[in-house]
Amino acid sequence: MAWLNPFWSSPKAYVRPPKRGLAPELWASRIPFTHLENFYEVFRALWENRDNLPYAWRILKDGVCDGCALGTSGLEDWTLHGVHLCNVRLRLLRLNTLPPLDPKVLEDVEALKGRKSRELRRLGRLPYPMLRRKGERGFRRVSWDEAMGLATEYLRRHLPEGAFFYLTSRGVPNETYYVVQKAVRALGCNHVDNAARICHSPSTVVLKEALGVAATTCSYTDLIGTDLVVFLGSNVANNQPVMMKYLYHAKKAGTKVAVVNPYREPGMERYFVPSDLESALFGTRIADRFFQILPGGDIAFLHGAAKWMLEEGWVDPGFIRAHTAGFEAYKALLEAIPFAELEKAAGVSREEMRAFAEMVGRAERAVFVWGMGITQHTHGEDNVRAIVNLALLKGFVGREGCGLMPIRGHSGVQGGAEMGAYATAFPGGLPVNPENARRLAELWGFPVPDRPGLTTPEALDRALEGRLGVLWAIGGDFREVMPDPEAVEEALRRVPLRVHQDIVLSSQMLLEPGECVLLLPATTRYEVPGGVTETSTERRVIFSPEIPGPRPPEARPEWEVFQELVHRLRPELKDRFRFASTAEIREEIARVIPLYEGIQRFKAKGDQFQYGGRRLCEGWRFPTPDGKAHFRPVPLPQKEVPEGAFRVVTRRGKQFNSIVHEDQDPLTGAFRDAVYMNPKDAARLGLKPGDPVVLENAFGRYAGRVYLAEVKEGTLEVHWPEGNVLVDPKARSPLAHIPAYKEILAHLRRGEAEAPSPLRP
């Protein structure tokens, strides 16, 4: 009943207890109500959902949030007593309460092409299967039988090597991920991937190799009262705003917060938590220290800090000696790199590196949190390794108040990868190889392909080459998330059959068919009979019950559609591929993925468990072959910046991943066309706020306006996905193949009237 008192919260567990009562020393302002944005969101949600308020309330009260991956059950979570609600969830609510769209609007897609993606979504839910053939102006309604017959015909023609299946994370539950990946493998290939590919795939790879686990090692409660929380390449104020509530209590418990980022993010400096009266009135100062490094300078900065920690003795030699391997090689690499080289690569002085090293070194406990600013580089895996190395110097894993947290931005990505909806991993995160394929074949009763499948970037490469016959996308919009949107458009047009299975319209659906485009209406997680589950950042598997309410006329759960697909294409597997309900799916998940033992007993709101317990590697027991954590020497990335060029980073504004909600970001004040620029760079170039400018490189052109901000000199930031026009489409990390969205080099010139961006999110 937390919703009865929406302006109070307290931790359910902590490392040290927060201070009781008011904490004026943490206030961002002595003047109350200087920031009301979050309150406006409540009234906006009421107005936006006014035609379906009872259903909207039931979703909030009983459903598991379909936004970021912090996890809830209704309005409560497992970290705090009190209301758990943020403006991201309120913004996403309308996607679940929209009425069906009028199919007539799709009879001529030309009339829709100028609309922004958010305008397309507002047209309503997809009500029926719809088909458009090459040369036709728009879509016509078809039956499910005709739609499935057409899909079956094309898949027969192009399987196994000419088909690719993709799942985004717009609330997609574990049950769907599991059935889809199993279906794809039953059809003879591993060409299935999900949105984790472009966010934390490097984190998964590195944590597995270093610690033997592939997920966050701690709980959110470990943040509250630990000595230090470090954020690297992460802006949780924008992307996971409920985290700010945890930090409010952490600050009151004496926790220090360090932020390593090229931009001094206003939301990380001070934040107003709307559901705690003190913070709602006066705000809370969050970061104790910002370290503004150059984009791509993370490894150099962390190496510099590690050098200082070793020199000053701010390490735990007993832990290193007894519980790690590879330390001597790591130490030798650090000793071989002079500080001058690290300073140049990081963009900060050795004194700043020492200040950070002292914060880490003098802490008895610390949690490291990172996001896309770390992973979305060609050296994304090495960035994560550098974080792990630093944490291992003090044994900051496997004990209270310590941990490594690759924070998730989507409610489905953690579970999606663990369910095996991944080109490079089977269920449970097992590598795709002959041994694991044989094991799965024994469990499933049919042969399982044993070679890794196409990742998302590789599949689009193949489509551009004209070598992909079927692309089946559950949610998402490749135009708005992948580099080089014009090439992506061309790739999609060359695919003979595209199937878009979704709840609302997206811009990629309107692209001309190669031969045919099918639209299949999907259910939201709240509409699936029998309820579903998600897995949060802290490894908590949570049951979300079916919520009574209106339904689009012919929307179907995605898992049912893929089961039917297998029955049509492989009728001999009907007896070995048959689920009567989501409960039966959960029973099989528990058998196939040991970590998920217990999921088969979920039946009601509040059912949950945290696999691995509160902390992984508890007591410094590491599930690696030798039982130890592994240091890994990481070389400095070599990337020359051409004369006069800027480093450019893509960033989020008022949006949820690629779903843009507003043109202006209330935390920064910037509009979508902002080019965040240091005032010194602007003065050097004779530019002032609002001046039109153009960024250019070999991959594209971006037109925007100067926005002065506390960003690192020589660095620019532009909003994502619009800035994707500047991303090198071939620049990817070596193991996870993640695109390098944070590794752009471009020249800037004064601009006049320029063609608008090809993306209109």
Side-chain angles (χ1 to χ4, degrees), residues 196-249:
R197 177 67 55 196
I198 61 171
C199 57
H200 270 301
S201 47
S203 304
T204 302
V205 168
V206 172
L207 289 174
K208 187 70 173 178
E209 74 178 18
L211 307 179
V213 299
T216 291
T217 67
C218 59
S219 299
Y220 304 138
T221 52
D222 285 304
L223 299 166
I224 301 171
T226 189
D227 297 324
L228 177 67
V229 179
V230 180
F231 289 93
L232 302 105
S234 172
N235 179 15
V236 293
N238 250 12
N239 302 324
Q240 297 91 5
V242 170
M243 172 69 84
M244 305 307 287
K245 193 170 183 176
Y246 305 159
L247 293 178
Y248 162 70
H249 289 286

Side-chain angles (χ1 to χ4, degrees), residues 38 79 321 510 533 555 606 614 626 661:
N38 289 321
T79 304
R321 187 168 48 252
L510 307 181
T533 61
R614 286 187 61 187
D626 60 3
H661 293 135

